Amino acid sequence: MAEAGDENLYAAARDIARALGKDPSAAGDILQILSGYGATGNTSGNSRASTASRGDANLNRSLNSLERQISSYIVEDRPIWSDPVDSRSFLDAVDDLLAMAGDLRSMAGDKSVAVCISRADELIQQVMFRLQEEFAYVMDRASDTFDSDDEFSGEEDNDIGYDQIIVARPVTDYKIVIEPLQSSVIGDLNAIAVRMVSGGFGKECSRVYSSRRREFLEESLSRLHLRGLSMEEVQDSPWQDLEDEIDRWIKAVTMVFRVFFPSERLLCDRVFSDLPVSSVTDLSFMEVCRGTTTQLLNFADAIALGSRLPERLFKVMDLYEAVEDLIPKMETLFSNKYCSPLKHEAVAIQKRLGEAVRGIFMELENLIRRDPPKTAFPGGGIHPITRYVMNYLRAACKSRQSLEQILDHTGNDAGSETRPLSVQLIWVLELLESNLEGKKRTYRDLPLCFLFMMNNGKYILDKATDNELGSVLGEDWIVKHAAKLRQYHSNFLRSSWNQVVGLLRTESPYPKLIENLKLFKARFDEVCLMQSQWVVTDEQLREELRSSVAGIVSPAYSSFVGRLKASPEINGRRGEPFIPYTVEDLELRIKGLFKER
């Protein structure tokens, strides 16, 4: 009963001191007055020394009482939070201890309370260590009872057996908030966190919290099937394997920053609400997210620092755009000072990915330059380097906006309408055309040289028409390239069929006409046989060439035959001269020119 009276006495002194404006000397005087009240009928006769002595004794008794109460919980082997009644009583005792310690510090000028302050601080430290253990216990217990698969799927199925695999439904809108802890658990964690922060153990509380939540995130990330490759493993992995990993990475990073991290931020805010300092919340959130964020960014960084082979462009662009989409989310989620280094690292990695893209384009240029003429490509058809480059550029332009951003890293000249992307692509096409010019020289037949350039030029023009690539190249480039194509067409006719038709354009005497007709037949047969083996893949171009040849040969042959038949020298002879072909025969032969492949 005496101990209870001491506690009541101390509480009364504390309340009166607070009412008086928390004046330290007033609190000490009030405690001393109350300590001596009722002890004797003549208080005015007691000395100040005896009053102070009794005050110290009462402080000690109050502290002893709290120490015994708290120690009974601290020495328990079982978790305090295994019993809601015990946890509530323990928190009340902790509140009393923290309040007493605060009041004692307000009287720190009085040497008589120094010993009590020291004892209170030592007891607080023991309490904080136990609260730290209890905080971990509450989190571990909650994790054991939480089925994250059910939470992800958003479905409950009481009929699912332990031997069945729970499959989450595909996430499409990402409008999901994971609530991995029940409200009652969050309430318990918050109650402990408030006391630990008040007792100066905010960092320790944050450390326990973040370590448990990191484990949850690591487990969640593993379910997204990321391999967690190191920098060295990324550099040593086959590109095909890395392409698959990049696809998984993009899905994972979307899930992490749209679902996992916002959910963790919400949970963090709830667990550490009502704290006297907000830094614990921000620090805890950073520690929770740092490991996962670093793992994800390290993979993107390893890709950025890897090989510059041209075939890597498209996946590197996918990564670049994924990181670009990531940064605004990081601006929102990582707005505090603790998280800002993570955000800055993401920005730096995006820049390195952009550098990788520029390096890949340089390697594409080198690839075109290094592709040697070697032997003539059969039939003058479309060369593989042409198909590769045009399909490459066309696919690259699907990421036009990002490419313009990357290639324009130094900024455009003021007022200039020329875009660096268009300059880059036109330069690549000039390299391609120069390479094709070298390859055409491998053909012995001049007409086949022009046919080769026409085939490849038509393919280039078709790939750059009515799509994003053509838009980037611009109308002027399209017009100029179409003009080149017409010139190749004209040169082809002039170098082959104009020579054949030249045999028919003569006003020679009759014997010479007969000779020229024989020469025409032989040359016509030779050219038809040869050009029937040449390749024109494009059906429209094939028909245009046949029509052009017929447009030259048929009128000339018809006119020649007419002149031959009308020759004065044919009069008096028996019958007409031998005419090897009718005009229809020629046109039928011409329709057999060029094969599709």
Side-chain angles (χ1 to χ4, degrees), residues 25 28 354 455 465:
S25 61
N455 270 319
T465 303

Side-chain angles (χ1 to χ4, degrees), residues 170-233:
V171 177
T172 54
D173 60 4
Y174 298 98
K175 295 177 181 179
I176 299 174
V177 174
I178 300 173
E179 296 182 358
L181 302 179
Q182 297 176 351
S183 296
S184 60
V185 174
I186 294 173
D188 288 339
L189 293 174
N190 176 252
I192 298 173
V194 168
R195 273 73 175 185
M196 290 187 71
V197 172
S198 298
F201 271 60
K203 288 185 178 179
E204 289 75 7
C205 181
S206 173
R207 190 177 303 119
V208 175
Y209 174 85
S210 58
S211 68
R212 266 50 177 194
R213 295 311 301 164
R214 275 199 305 271
E215 292 173 2
F216 174 84
L217 277 179
E218 289 169 2
E219 173 64 21
S220 300
L221 202 60
S222 69
R223 298 185 183 199
L224 299 176
H225 307 295
L226 282 183
R227 294 163 58 193
L229 300 174
S230 66
M231 182 78 73
E232 293 75 17
E233 289 172 329

